[in-house]
Amino acid sequence: MGNVPSAVKHCLSYQQLLREHLWIGDSVAGALDPAQESSQLSGLPEYVKIVEVGPRDGLQNEKVIVPTDIKIEFINQLSQTGLSVIEVTSFVSSRWVPQMADHTEVMKGIQQHPGVRYPVLTPNLQGFHRAVAAGATEIAVFGAASESFSKKNINCSIEESMEKFEEVVKSASHMNIPARGYVSCALGCPYEGSIATQKVTEVSKRLYGMGCYEISLGDTIGVGTPGSMKRMLESVMKEIPPRALAVHCHDTYGQALANILTALQMGINVVDSAVSGLGGCPYAKGASGNVATEDLIYMLNGLGLKTGVNLYKVLEAGDFICKAVNKTTNSKVAQASFNA
Amino acid sequence: MLSEAGLPVIEATSFVSPKWVPQMADHTEVLKGIQKFPGINYPVLTPNFKGFQAAVAAGAKEVSIFGAASELFTKKNINCSIDESVRRFSDILQAARATSIPVRGYVSCVLGCPYEGKISPAKVAEVAKKMYSMGCYEISLGDTIGVGTPGGMKDMLSAVMYEVPVAALAVHCHDTYGQALANTLMALQMGVSVVDSSVAGLGGCPYAQGASGNLATEDLVYMLAGLGIHTGVNLQKLLEAGTFICQALNRKTSSKVAQATCKL
């Protein structure tokens, strides 16, 4: 940059700048002002569904145990932003994930808005039954493309885990409960290093074949780059249609948005993210975790893609949870907007 | 340390009056004091002819000049119109030509201005074309306040590439809204092969208190390496340089790669 002007205080206030000139559309009012919309990049989907995983994947990786009422308030705030999917909690044993010990209370305590879905993780049949008893109407199962990761994470091989998930997904299907499948380590594993795209495809196909309506491909440790994202998606898309795929990028190495852009260019239109970029990385101390929903929405708005989500309301929810867990936001948009 | 990391170009300092930029008051000592590695360029900013002369006297072999695609930004920044600023540069360009010193041109506010808001791609193309035709060997297009997104980057580059060959273009993305790497990727997809970045993502944003600034070199190199694009840069040595300067400044790095690797 050149000289720093002393007349900075005369520049447009940031609120004004964002509102009038740049890519912060108010989704409640409808589409962006046509005069501001940039020409849509050809080949990109018109609408992108954002799956908000902050309350589950985000909080799960935060050290501070968040009180139940805060979790409920957080989710209630998210329900008013226009997000259509909010992952609420995980019906996993509290011995493994103490943060999610209050899964039943949270599931029962949230205000479920019409038009918003509230999936929960159910690692096994026991968790599934508890989830249904607590009022869950959508579930998710978590596989991995790495044997070592599967063994360390859930203490069984990929094949064994698939058998367990098949029970859950089939039970869900009998009750007309949709099931989403996650594939971890899609672009790299903290134990095995690089992961063959063929393996990711195999696991994805298995989950899709047993009845999962959507497969979320997770760059669990954020090591992927646009090239590896492209190669992995090319492989998976040979077996699974793009409309049934989602990407779940971690921002550990700052690559998340570039990887997501690549996925969008390849026809993927479902993206997972977490408000404020909640959640660190259990495999890299001090590293960041999920891509921040605010930063994702900023990019999608700028690209002229519809999301239905109100960025200002998401910023507010992010501000709320960061204050509650006493941490600085990982969202750059929030950092720029709140004059921290 | 940056020279040892294999970076081919390292912008050393700015020959600007210390009244405006106190941080660069020691420009002459710095330029004279650094070890100049063979094969590495050390351009310096020269906002006016006086600065250019001082830079040459201090041993500069490459200089940069700074224009903007916004009239208001130019007025607030250097107190004149775009046309007037371009006229002032022609003195530098003439003198540089006479002494065979390459000149790099920067265009600020290419994707948005803190005073005018939206900036038209046509205006960016006009300013870039002017600077290129006056003799700048390369034009670095700067998203000064980091507001751009990949679609806007594409539109802007399409307009500029109509007037300036892509081989002479560079992008300079700020990460104020976390969009820098995605915007840089878009630029690469359009054929741009020169990217500006700053180790540890140094520098904030004077227009947004608390916001981040430049794209972190470590994160950029990580992406390029993953894409199989050759840069000649040693990421490990780069990380060391980043750690060094952050410790010296007593600040945390803005590079995610550094945060993930340093296990703080």
Side-chain angles (χ1 to χ4, degrees), chain A residues 1-3 5 8 11-12 14 39 41 223 251-252 254-255 257 265 288 295 298-299 302 332, chain B residues 16 66 77 114-115 147 149 154-155 175-179 181 189 206-208 219 222-223 256:
Chain A
M1 240 192 70
N3 299 336
V8 164
C11 67
L12 298 172
Y14 250 129
S39 69
L41 282 178
V223 287
D251 204 35
T252 324
Q255 308 296 303
L257 278 184
Q265 288 175 333
S288 63
D295 300 1
Y298 186 96
M299 181 173 81
K332 293 243 167 150
Chain B
V16 66
F66 249 87
N77 221 24
Y115 307 101
V147 287
T149 47
K154 187 175 197 219
D155 289 347
D175 205 33
T176 324
Y177 292 86
Q179 310 295 305
L181 210 54
Q189 289 175 342
Y207 307 97
D219 300 1
Y222 186 95
M223 180 176 82
K256 293 245 169 150

mmCIF file of all heavy atoms in Angstrom, chain A residues 1-3 5 8 11-12 14 39 41 223 251-252 254-255 257 265 288 295 298-299 302 332, chain B residues 16 66 77 114-115 147 149 154-155 175-179 181 189 206-208 219 222-223 256:
data_model
loop_
_atom_site.group_PDB
_atom_site.id
_atom_site.type_symbol
_atom_site.label_atom_id
_atom_site.label_comp_id
_atom_site.label_asym_id
_atom_site.label_seq_id
_atom_site.Cartn_x
_atom_site.Cartn_y
_atom_site.Cartn_z
ATOM 1 N N MET A 1 0.844 -1.201 0.000
ATOM 2 C CA MET A 1 0.000 0.000 0.000
ATOM 3 C C MET A 1 0.864 1.230 0.000
ATOM 4 O O MET A 1 1.974 1.203 0.473
ATOM 5 C CB MET A 1 -0.844 0.003 1.262
ATOM 6 C CG MET A 1 -2.318 -0.002 0.968
ATOM 7 S SD MET A 1 -3.273 0.334 2.443
ATOM 8 C CE MET A 1 -2.904 2.026 2.730
ATOM 9 N N GLY A 2 0.319 2.292 -0.514
ATOM 10 C CA GLY A 2 1.065 3.550 -0.527
ATOM 11 C C GLY A 2 1.001 4.256 0.811
ATOM 12 O O GLY A 2 0.842 3.633 1.833
ATOM 13 N N ASN A 3 1.091 5.557 0.780
ATOM 14 C CA ASN A 3 1.060 6.328 2.026
ATOM 15 C C ASN A 3 -0.255 6.112 2.754
ATOM 16 O O ASN A 3 -1.302 5.984 2.145
ATOM 17 C CB ASN A 3 1.177 7.816 1.724
ATOM 18 C CG ASN A 3 2.487 8.113 1.021
ATOM 19 O OD1 ASN A 3 3.437 7.366 1.150
ATOM 20 N ND2 ASN A 3 2.526 9.183 0.250
ATOM 21 N N PRO A 5 -3.183 7.584 4.544
ATOM 22 C CA PRO A 5 -3.714 8.937 4.641
ATOM 23 C C PRO A 5 -4.136 9.284 6.064
ATOM 24 O O PRO A 5 -4.537 8.422 6.833
ATOM 25 C CB PRO A 5 -4.951 8.902 3.732
ATOM 26 C CG PRO A 5 -5.371 7.488 3.751
ATOM 27 C CD PRO A 5 -4.127 6.671 3.926
ATOM 28 N N VAL A 8 -8.339 9.256 7.152
ATOM 29 C CA VAL A 8 -9.079 8.003 7.272
ATOM 30 C C VAL A 8 -10.454 8.215 7.880
ATOM 31 O O VAL A 8 -11.428 7.617 7.475
ATOM 32 C CB VAL A 8 -8.268 6.996 8.131
ATOM 33 C CG1 VAL A 8 -9.143 5.858 8.593
ATOM 34 C CG2 VAL A 8 -7.103 6.459 7.336
ATOM 35 N N CYS A 11 -13.510 8.589 5.682
ATOM 36 C CA CYS A 11 -13.980 7.589 4.749
ATOM 37 C C CYS A 11 -15.358 7.104 5.163
ATOM 38 O O CYS A 11 -15.793 7.324 6.285
ATOM 39 C CB CYS A 11 -13.001 6.427 4.620
ATOM 40 S SG CYS A 11 -12.832 5.415 6.092
ATOM 41 N N LEU A 12 -16.049 6.469 4.257
ATOM 42 C CA LEU A 12 -17.389 5.960 4.538
ATOM 43 C C LEU A 12 -17.345 5.081 5.766
ATOM 44 O O LEU A 12 -16.425 4.310 5.934
ATOM 45 C CB LEU A 12 -17.878 5.124 3.352
ATOM 46 C CG LEU A 12 -18.040 5.824 2.020
ATOM 47 C CD1 LEU A 12 -18.328 4.808 0.933
ATOM 48 C CD2 LEU A 12 -19.162 6.830 2.075
ATOM 49 N N TYR A 14 -17.993 1.983 7.896
ATOM 50 C CA TYR A 14 -18.011 0.641 7.367
ATOM 51 C C TYR A 14 -19.420 0.114 7.169
ATOM 52 O O TYR A 14 -19.698 -0.556 6.201
ATOM 53 C CB TYR A 14 -17.203 -0.326 8.228
ATOM 54 C CG TYR A 14 -15.965 -0.715 7.481
ATOM 55 C CD1 TYR A 14 -14.714 -0.633 8.047
ATOM 56 C CD2 TYR A 14 -16.044 -1.113 6.147
ATOM 57 C CE1 TYR A 14 -13.600 -0.948 7.330
ATOM 58 C CE2 TYR A 14 -14.927 -1.415 5.412
ATOM 59 C CZ TYR A 14 -13.709 -1.334 6.014
ATOM 60 O OH TYR A 14 -12.590 -1.639 5.307
ATOM 61 N N SER A 39 -21.422 -9.817 -12.207
ATOM 62 C CA SER A 39 -21.900 -10.812 -13.164
ATOM 63 C C SER A 39 -21.594 -12.172 -12.582
ATOM 64 O O SER A 39 -20.498 -12.424 -12.094
ATOM 65 C CB SER A 39 -21.188 -10.628 -14.494
ATOM 66 O OG SER A 39 -19.843 -10.991 -14.372
ATOM 67 N N LEU A 41 -20.459 -15.749 -12.043
ATOM 68 C CA LEU A 41 -19.483 -16.582 -12.699
ATOM 69 C C LEU A 41 -20.239 -17.716 -13.371
ATOM 70 O O LEU A 41 -21.072 -18.349 -12.748
ATOM 71 C CB LEU A 41 -18.508 -17.168 -11.681
ATOM 72 C CG LEU A 41 -17.408 -16.244 -11.176
ATOM 73 C CD1 LEU A 41 -16.570 -16.969 -10.143
ATOM 74 C CD2 LEU A 41 -16.525 -15.785 -12.318
ATOM 75 N N VAL A 223 -6.014 -29.704 5.364
ATOM 76 C CA VAL A 223 -4.763 -29.735 4.595
ATOM 77 C C VAL A 223 -4.975 -29.644 3.086
ATOM 78 O O VAL A 223 -4.015 -29.488 2.337
ATOM 79 C CB VAL A 223 -3.943 -31.016 4.881
ATOM 80 C CG1 VAL A 223 -3.325 -30.935 6.255
ATOM 81 C CG2 VAL A 223 -4.796 -32.259 4.723
ATOM 82 N N ASP A 251 -10.425 -24.686 8.042
ATOM 83 C CA ASP A 251 -9.574 -23.582 7.606
ATOM 84 C C ASP A 251 -8.218 -23.575 8.301
ATOM 85 O O ASP A 251 -7.554 -22.546 8.369
ATOM 86 C CB ASP A 251 -10.303 -22.263 7.868
ATOM 87 C CG ASP A 251 -9.793 -21.154 6.960
ATOM 88 O OD1 ASP A 251 -9.443 -21.442 5.805
ATOM 89 O OD2 ASP A 251 -9.712 -19.997 7.410
ATOM 90 N N THR A 252 -7.801 -24.752 8.747
ATOM 91 C CA THR A 252 -6.562 -24.883 9.511
ATOM 92 C C THR A 252 -5.359 -24.244 8.818
ATOM 93 O O THR A 252 -4.484 -23.692 9.478
ATOM 94 C CB THR A 252 -6.274 -26.381 9.762
ATOM 95 O OG1 THR A 252 -7.505 -27.065 9.979
ATOM 96 C CG2 THR A 252 -5.363 -26.582 10.947
ATOM 97 N N GLY A 254 -5.799 -22.040 6.186
ATOM 98 C CA GLY A 254 -6.303 -20.888 5.448
ATOM 99 C C GLY A 254 -6.823 -21.200 4.055
ATOM 100 O O GLY A 254 -7.032 -20.300 3.254
ATOM 101 N N GLN A 255 -7.036 -22.482 3.740
ATOM 102 C CA GLN A 255 -7.382 -22.876 2.369
ATOM 103 C C GLN A 255 -8.881 -23.037 2.125
ATOM 104 O O GLN A 255 -9.310 -23.261 0.989
ATOM 105 C CB GLN A 255 -6.709 -24.220 2.030
ATOM 106 C CG GLN A 255 -5.216 -24.260 2.307
ATOM 107 C CD GLN A 255 -4.429 -23.281 1.434
ATOM 108 O OE1 GLN A 255 -4.510 -23.341 0.219
ATOM 109 N NE2 GLN A 255 -3.695 -22.372 2.054
ATOM 110 N N LEU A 257 -11.838 -21.289 1.920
ATOM 111 C CA LEU A 257 -12.652 -20.599 0.911
ATOM 112 C C LEU A 257 -12.179 -20.900 -0.503
ATOM 113 O O LEU A 257 -12.993 -21.038 -1.416
ATOM 114 C CB LEU A 257 -12.681 -19.084 1.154
ATOM 115 C CG LEU A 257 -13.682 -18.606 2.207
ATOM 116 C CD1 LEU A 257 -13.699 -17.087 2.285
ATOM 117 C CD2 LEU A 257 -15.094 -19.088 1.898
ATOM 118 N N GLN A 265 -17.270 -24.430 -8.324
ATOM 119 C CA GLN A 265 -16.988 -24.433 -9.755
ATOM 120 C C GLN A 265 -17.230 -25.821 -10.352
ATOM 121 O O GLN A 265 -17.468 -25.966 -11.544
ATOM 122 C CB GLN A 265 -15.542 -23.983 -10.030
ATOM 123 C CG GLN A 265 -15.330 -22.494 -9.796
ATOM 124 C CD GLN A 265 -13.881 -22.063 -9.938
ATOM 125 O OE1 GLN A 265 -12.957 -22.843 -9.728
ATOM 126 N NE2 GLN A 265 -13.669 -20.804 -10.285
ATOM 127 N N SER A 288 -6.763 -23.076 13.744
ATOM 128 C CA SER A 288 -8.197 -22.776 13.639
ATOM 129 C C SER A 288 -8.907 -24.018 13.123
ATOM 130 O O SER A 288 -8.279 -25.008 12.766
ATOM 131 C CB SER A 288 -8.407 -21.612 12.692
ATOM 132 O OG SER A 288 -7.960 -21.971 11.414
ATOM 133 N N ASP A 295 -17.735 -15.493 6.672
ATOM 134 C CA ASP A 295 -16.819 -15.299 5.549
ATOM 135 C C ASP A 295 -17.337 -16.025 4.311
ATOM 136 O O ASP A 295 -17.180 -15.545 3.174
ATOM 137 C CB ASP A 295 -15.408 -15.798 5.905
ATOM 138 C CG ASP A 295 -14.823 -15.066 7.114
ATOM 139 O OD1 ASP A 295 -15.521 -14.182 7.686
ATOM 140 O OD2 ASP A 295 -13.679 -15.353 7.500
ATOM 141 N N TYR A 298 -20.215 -13.998 2.883
ATOM 142 C CA TYR A 298 -19.653 -12.812 2.218
ATOM 143 C C TYR A 298 -19.230 -13.170 0.799
ATOM 144 O O TYR A 298 -19.532 -12.466 -0.166
ATOM 145 C CB TYR A 298 -18.462 -12.291 3.022
ATOM 146 C CG TYR A 298 -17.898 -10.992 2.501
ATOM 147 C CD1 TYR A 298 -18.269 -9.774 3.044
ATOM 148 C CD2 TYR A 298 -16.983 -10.983 1.440
ATOM 149 C CE1 TYR A 298 -17.758 -8.580 2.564
ATOM 150 C CE2 TYR A 298 -16.468 -9.794 0.951
ATOM 151 C CZ TYR A 298 -16.850 -8.602 1.514
ATOM 152 O OH TYR A 298 -16.335 -7.424 1.029
ATOM 153 N N MET A 299 -18.528 -14.302 0.657
ATOM 154 C CA MET A 299 -18.066 -14.701 -0.664
ATOM 155 C C MET A 299 -19.249 -15.052 -1.573
ATOM 156 O O MET A 299 -19.319 -14.614 -2.725
ATOM 157 C CB MET A 299 -17.136 -15.922 -0.582
ATOM 158 C CG MET A 299 -16.614 -16.341 -1.979
ATOM 159 S SD MET A 299 -15.370 -17.639 -1.959
ATOM 160 C CE MET A 299 -16.381 -19.117 -1.783
ATOM 161 N N GLY A 302 -21.086 -12.013 -2.694
ATOM 162 C CA GLY A 302 -20.284 -11.307 -3.700
ATOM 163 C C GLY A 302 -20.354 -11.980 -5.057
ATOM 164 O O GLY A 302 -20.317 -11.333 -6.105
ATOM 165 N N LYS A 332 -13.099 -13.316 9.625
ATOM 166 C CA LYS A 332 -12.463 -12.065 9.226
ATOM 167 C C LYS A 332 -13.522 -10.980 8.994
ATOM 168 O O LYS A 332 -13.302 -9.809 9.282
ATOM 169 C CB LYS A 332 -11.642 -12.283 7.954
ATOM 170 C CG LYS A 332 -10.444 -13.193 8.171
ATOM 171 C CD LYS A 332 -9.134 -12.483 7.936
ATOM 172 C CE LYS A 332 -7.957 -13.272 8.440
ATOM 173 N NZ LYS A 332 -6.726 -13.023 7.665
ATOM 174 N N VAL B 16 9.636 7.679 1.097
ATOM 175 C CA VAL B 16 8.576 8.643 1.311
ATOM 176 C C VAL B 16 9.002 9.500 2.501
ATOM 177 O O VAL B 16 9.840 9.080 3.307
ATOM 178 C CB VAL B 16 7.245 7.897 1.600
ATOM 179 C CG1 VAL B 16 7.314 7.133 2.921
ATOM 180 C CG2 VAL B 16 6.064 8.840 1.594
ATOM 181 N N PHE B 66 2.708 4.334 -7.149
ATOM 182 C CA PHE B 66 1.385 3.955 -6.684
ATOM 183 C C PHE B 66 0.276 4.833 -7.241
ATOM 184 O O PHE B 66 0.150 5.978 -6.862
ATOM 185 C CB PHE B 66 1.354 4.077 -5.154
ATOM 186 C CG PHE B 66 1.269 2.771 -4.446
ATOM 187 C CD1 PHE B 66 2.424 2.058 -4.132
ATOM 188 C CD2 PHE B 66 0.037 2.243 -4.088
ATOM 189 C CE1 PHE B 66 2.334 0.837 -3.482
ATOM 190 C CE2 PHE B 66 -0.050 1.021 -3.441
ATOM 191 C CZ PHE B 66 1.097 0.317 -3.129
ATOM 192 N N ASN B 77 -5.315 10.559 -0.432
ATOM 193 C CA ASN B 77 -4.033 9.921 -0.191
ATOM 194 C C ASN B 77 -2.857 10.821 -0.541
ATOM 195 O O ASN B 77 -1.909 10.954 0.224
ATOM 196 C CB ASN B 77 -3.961 8.631 -1.028
ATOM 197 C CG ASN B 77 -3.350 7.494 -0.272
ATOM 198 O OD1 ASN B 77 -3.367 7.463 0.943
ATOM 199 N ND2 ASN B 77 -2.799 6.540 -0.987
ATOM 200 N N PRO B 114 -12.548 2.840 -0.021
ATOM 201 C CA PRO B 114 -13.137 3.197 1.269
ATOM 202 C C PRO B 114 -13.908 4.517 1.237
ATOM 203 O O PRO B 114 -14.662 4.814 2.153
ATOM 204 C CB PRO B 114 -11.930 3.308 2.204
ATOM 205 C CG PRO B 114 -10.762 3.508 1.324
ATOM 206 C CD PRO B 114 -11.080 2.850 0.016
ATOM 207 N N TYR B 115 -13.734 5.310 0.178
ATOM 208 C CA TYR B 115 -14.442 6.590 0.064
ATOM 209 C C TYR B 115 -15.537 6.540 -0.985
ATOM 210 O O TYR B 115 -16.636 7.030 -0.767
ATOM 211 C CB TYR B 115 -13.461 7.722 -0.262
ATOM 212 C CG TYR B 115 -12.310 7.792 0.706
ATOM 213 C CD1 TYR B 115 -11.050 7.274 0.374
ATOM 214 C CD2 TYR B 115 -12.471 8.332 1.977
ATOM 215 C CE1 TYR B 115 -10.004 7.307 1.262
ATOM 216 C CE2 TYR B 115 -11.410 8.361 2.880
ATOM 217 C CZ TYR B 115 -10.189 7.849 2.518
ATOM 218 O OH TYR B 115 -9.145 7.870 3.412
ATOM 219 N N VAL B 147 -12.283 -5.942 0.005
ATOM 220 C CA VAL B 147 -13.732 -6.171 -0.113
ATOM 221 C C VAL B 147 -14.111 -7.049 -1.294
ATOM 222 O O VAL B 147 -15.254 -7.494 -1.405
ATOM 223 C CB VAL B 147 -14.511 -4.842 -0.233
ATOM 224 C CG1 VAL B 147 -14.533 -4.122 1.096
ATOM 225 C CG2 VAL B 147 -13.922 -3.964 -1.319
ATOM 226 N N THR B 149 -14.567 -10.077 -4.100
ATOM 227 C CA THR B 149 -14.875 -11.501 -4.091
ATOM 228 C C THR B 149 -14.549 -12.036 -5.491
ATOM 229 O O THR B 149 -14.371 -11.240 -6.409
ATOM 230 C CB THR B 149 -16.354 -11.761 -3.753
ATOM 231 O OG1 THR B 149 -17.170 -10.905 -4.525
ATOM 232 C CG2 THR B 149 -16.627 -11.506 -2.282
ATOM 233 N N LYS B 154 -12.849 -11.480 -11.233
ATOM 234 C CA LYS B 154 -12.916 -11.936 -12.621
ATOM 235 C C LYS B 154 -13.324 -10.794 -13.546
ATOM 236 O O LYS B 154 -12.706 -10.586 -14.589
ATOM 237 C CB LYS B 154 -13.912 -13.090 -12.733
ATOM 238 C CG LYS B 154 -13.918 -13.729 -14.106
ATOM 239 C CD LYS B 154 -14.813 -14.930 -14.190
ATOM 240 C CE LYS B 154 -14.406 -15.712 -15.452
ATOM 241 N NZ LYS B 154 -15.523 -16.262 -16.172
ATOM 242 N N ASP B 155 -14.379 -10.065 -13.167
ATOM 243 C CA ASP B 155 -14.853 -8.953 -14.004
ATOM 244 C C ASP B 155 -13.759 -7.902 -14.193
ATOM 245 O O ASP B 155 -13.553 -7.393 -15.295
ATOM 246 C CB ASP B 155 -16.056 -8.272 -13.352
ATOM 247 C CG ASP B 155 -17.298 -9.149 -13.402
ATOM 248 O OD1 ASP B 155 -17.275 -10.156 -14.149
ATOM 249 O OD2 ASP B 155 -18.274 -8.830 -12.707
ATOM 250 N N ASP B 175 -6.719 -9.381 2.923
ATOM 251 C CA ASP B 175 -7.549 -10.436 3.479
ATOM 252 C C ASP B 175 -8.524 -9.934 4.536
ATOM 253 O O ASP B 175 -8.999 -10.697 5.375
ATOM 254 C CB ASP B 175 -6.644 -11.515 4.089
ATOM 255 C CG ASP B 175 -7.322 -12.870 4.138
ATOM 256 O OD1 ASP B 175 -8.130 -13.169 3.235
ATOM 257 O OD2 ASP B 175 -7.084 -13.624 5.095
ATOM 258 N N THR B 176 -8.869 -8.652 4.443
ATOM 259 C CA THR B 176 -9.731 -8.014 5.435
ATOM 260 C C THR B 176 -11.035 -8.779 5.669
ATOM 261 O O THR B 176 -11.548 -8.814 6.781
ATOM 262 C CB THR B 176 -10.047 -6.573 4.978
ATOM 263 O OG1 THR B 176 -8.900 -6.026 4.333
ATOM 264 C CG2 THR B 176 -10.450 -5.697 6.139
ATOM 265 N N TYR B 177 -11.604 -9.366 4.620
ATOM 266 C CA TYR B 177 -12.846 -10.136 4.746
ATOM 267 C C TYR B 177 -12.621 -11.613 4.469
ATOM 268 O O TYR B 177 -13.554 -12.333 4.149
ATOM 269 C CB TYR B 177 -13.928 -9.563 3.810
ATOM 270 C CG TYR B 177 -14.369 -8.192 4.249
ATOM 271 C CD1 TYR B 177 -13.671 -7.063 3.839
ATOM 272 C CD2 TYR B 177 -15.429 -8.023 5.131
ATOM 273 C CE1 TYR B 177 -14.027 -5.802 4.293
ATOM 274 C CE2 TYR B 177 -15.795 -6.769 5.576
ATOM 275 C CZ TYR B 177 -15.090 -5.663 5.157
ATOM 276 O OH TYR B 177 -15.442 -4.419 5.605
ATOM 277 N N GLY B 178 -11.370 -12.058 4.583
ATOM 278 C CA GLY B 178 -11.066 -13.470 4.409
ATOM 279 C C GLY B 178 -11.144 -13.959 2.968
ATOM 280 O O GLY B 178 -11.143 -15.162 2.720
ATOM 281 N N GLN B 179 -11.205 -13.042 2.003
ATOM 282 C CA GLN B 179 -11.425 -13.441 0.606
ATOM 283 C C GLN B 179 -10.145 -13.547 -0.230
ATOM 284 O O GLN B 179 -10.191 -13.985 -1.381
ATOM 285 C CB GLN B 179 -12.357 -12.424 -0.089
ATOM 286 C CG GLN B 179 -13.632 -12.128 0.678
ATOM 287 C CD GLN B 179 -14.542 -13.331 0.795
ATOM 288 O OE1 GLN B 179 -14.903 -13.934 -0.209
ATOM 289 N NE2 GLN B 179 -14.895 -13.704 2.021
ATOM 290 N N LEU B 181 -7.354 -15.421 -0.560
ATOM 291 C CA LEU B 181 -6.873 -16.609 -1.258
ATOM 292 C C LEU B 181 -7.837 -17.043 -2.353
ATOM 293 O O LEU B 181 -7.409 -17.443 -3.440
ATOM 294 C CB LEU B 181 -6.651 -17.743 -0.247
ATOM 295 C CG LEU B 181 -5.548 -18.749 -0.589
ATOM 296 C CD1 LEU B 181 -4.227 -18.068 -0.866
ATOM 297 C CD2 LEU B 181 -5.394 -19.752 0.537
ATOM 298 N N GLN B 189 -6.558 -18.624 -12.137
ATOM 299 C CA GLN B 189 -7.363 -19.313 -13.143
ATOM 300 C C GLN B 189 -7.489 -18.468 -14.406
ATOM 301 O O GLN B 189 -7.701 -18.993 -15.491
ATOM 302 C CB GLN B 189 -8.749 -19.655 -12.588
ATOM 303 C CG GLN B 189 -8.724 -20.762 -11.537
ATOM 304 C CD GLN B 189 -10.070 -21.034 -10.899
ATOM 305 O OE1 GLN B 189 -10.981 -20.205 -10.964
ATOM 306 N NE2 GLN B 189 -10.216 -22.190 -10.257
ATOM 307 N N PRO B 206 -5.871 0.269 7.766
ATOM 308 C CA PRO B 206 -6.129 1.566 8.412
ATOM 309 C C PRO B 206 -7.592 1.983 8.348
ATOM 310 O O PRO B 206 -8.033 2.880 9.044
ATOM 311 C CB PRO B 206 -5.243 2.542 7.631
ATOM 312 C CG PRO B 206 -4.951 1.875 6.343
ATOM 313 C CD PRO B 206 -5.037 0.407 6.571
ATOM 314 N N TYR B 207 -8.377 1.314 7.491
ATOM 315 C CA TYR B 207 -9.771 1.692 7.313
ATOM 316 C C TYR B 207 -10.738 0.865 8.149
ATOM 317 O O TYR B 207 -11.926 1.126 8.183
ATOM 318 C CB TYR B 207 -10.165 1.566 5.828
ATOM 319 C CG TYR B 207 -9.204 2.321 4.950
ATOM 320 C CD1 TYR B 207 -8.157 1.677 4.312
ATOM 321 C CD2 TYR B 207 -9.315 3.705 4.804
ATOM 322 C CE1 TYR B 207 -7.249 2.378 3.540
ATOM 323 C CE2 TYR B 207 -8.405 4.408 4.035
ATOM 324 C CZ TYR B 207 -7.386 3.739 3.411
ATOM 325 O OH TYR B 207 -6.482 4.432 2.647
ATOM 326 N N ALA B 208 -10.241 -0.159 8.795
ATOM 327 C CA ALA B 208 -11.119 -1.010 9.610
ATOM 328 C C ALA B 208 -10.346 -1.476 10.828
ATOM 329 O O ALA B 208 -9.559 -2.411 10.776
ATOM 330 C CB ALA B 208 -11.594 -2.221 8.797
ATOM 331 N N ASP B 219 0.437 -18.812 3.688
ATOM 332 C CA ASP B 219 -0.807 -19.451 3.263
ATOM 333 C C ASP B 219 -0.872 -19.517 1.739
ATOM 334 O O ASP B 219 -1.396 -20.484 1.169
ATOM 335 C CB ASP B 219 -2.020 -18.669 3.806
ATOM 336 C CG ASP B 219 -2.028 -18.606 5.333
ATOM 337 O OD1 ASP B 219 -1.092 -19.154 5.973
ATOM 338 O OD2 ASP B 219 -2.951 -18.008 5.902
ATOM 339 N N TYR B 222 1.512 -22.247 0.596
ATOM 340 C CA TYR B 222 0.897 -23.548 0.889
ATOM 341 C C TYR B 222 -0.052 -23.946 -0.235
ATOM 342 O O TYR B 222 -0.043 -25.078 -0.724
ATOM 343 C CB TYR B 222 0.146 -23.466 2.224
ATOM 344 C CG TYR B 222 -0.407 -24.795 2.702
ATOM 345 C CD1 TYR B 222 0.311 -25.585 3.594
ATOM 346 C CD2 TYR B 222 -1.644 -25.261 2.258
ATOM 347 C CE1 TYR B 222 -0.180 -26.808 4.030
ATOM 348 C CE2 TYR B 222 -2.140 -26.487 2.680
ATOM 349 C CZ TYR B 222 -1.413 -27.251 3.571
ATOM 350 O OH TYR B 222 -1.902 -28.457 3.995
ATOM 351 N N MET B 223 -0.891 -23.002 -0.652
ATOM 352 C CA MET B 223 -1.850 -23.297 -1.715
ATOM 353 C C MET B 223 -1.142 -23.604 -3.035
ATOM 354 O O MET B 223 -1.451 -24.580 -3.720
ATOM 355 C CB MET B 223 -2.827 -22.131 -1.935
ATOM 356 C CG MET B 223 -3.841 -22.437 -3.042
ATOM 357 S SD MET B 223 -5.102 -21.180 -3.303
ATOM 358 C CE MET B 223 -4.256 -20.002 -4.320
ATOM 359 N N LYS B 256 -2.472 -18.610 8.820
ATOM 360 C CA LYS B 256 -3.077 -19.821 9.377
ATOM 361 C C LYS B 256 -2.086 -20.982 9.340
ATOM 362 O O LYS B 256 -2.053 -21.815 10.242
ATOM 363 C CB LYS B 256 -4.335 -20.190 8.592
ATOM 364 C CG LYS B 256 -5.459 -19.178 8.750
ATOM 365 C CD LYS B 256 -6.655 -19.764 9.463
ATOM 366 C CE LYS B 256 -7.651 -18.710 9.865
ATOM 367 N NZ LYS B 256 -9.037 -19.194 9.888
#
